[in-house]
């Protein structure tokens, strides 16, 4: 289960970082383009679209159960991480 959780969290970090070309308003895309802003229709959609690692952990808890004691997750790409360097996301 923990391998699945780490894969899910890394996948969420990747989805947050990379924007599908079909979503972009201007082509060709620039490196610093991000998803256009939107308002989520419910809490689950908001968690799935979030760029916060703590929200990704909440989503993994909904799917895979509670995280084990001492669990921490830090996205591999610093640009998708929204917390300070000394604060790991914990569940």
């Amino acid at each position: 289960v923990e391998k699945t959780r780490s894969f899910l969290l890394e996948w969420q970090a990747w989805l947050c970082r990379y924007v599908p070309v079909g979503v972009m308003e201007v082509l060709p895309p620039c490196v610093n383009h991000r998803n256009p802003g939107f308002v989520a229709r419910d809490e689950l959609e908001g968690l799935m679209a979030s760029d916060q690692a703590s929200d990704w952990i909440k989503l993994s808890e909904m799917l895979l159960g509670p995280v084990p004691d001492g669990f921490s997750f830090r996205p591999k790409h610093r640009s998708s991480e929204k917390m300070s360097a000394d604060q790991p996301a914990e569940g």
Side-chain angles (χ1 to χ4, degrees):
V1 172
E2 294 312 309
K3 273 195 162 191
T4 304
R5 185 183 315 276
S6 65
F7 174 80
L8 175 67
L9 293 172
E10 289 297 337
W11 183 60
Q12 284 288 111
W14 186 87
L15 288 176
C16 174
R17 183 180 166 109
Y18 297 101
V19 181
V21 173
V23 175
M24 294 192 178
E25 296 174 359
V26 179
L27 291 175
C30 293
V31 172
N32 61 350
H33 278 183
R34 294 288 180 233
N35 289 333
F38 73 98
V39 176
R41 294 173 284 189
D42 59 12
E43 182 184 359
L44 182 59
E45 188 175 65
L47 288 174
M48 292 174 75
S50 176
D51 58 359
Q52 300 289 324
S54 59
D55 289 338
W56 305 338
I57 292 173
K58 287 180 196 173
L59 187 62
S60 78
E61 287 180 327
M62 294 169 102
L63 298 170
L64 303 171
V67 296
D69 294 336
F71 176 80
S72 67
F73 171 70
R74 181 171 301 278
K76 288 181 182 176
H77 302 289
R78 296 281 300 168
S79 65
S80 65
E81 184 178 6
K82 297 294 181 186
M83 290 174 275
S84 64
D86 57 346
Q87 264 187 340
E90 295 184 5

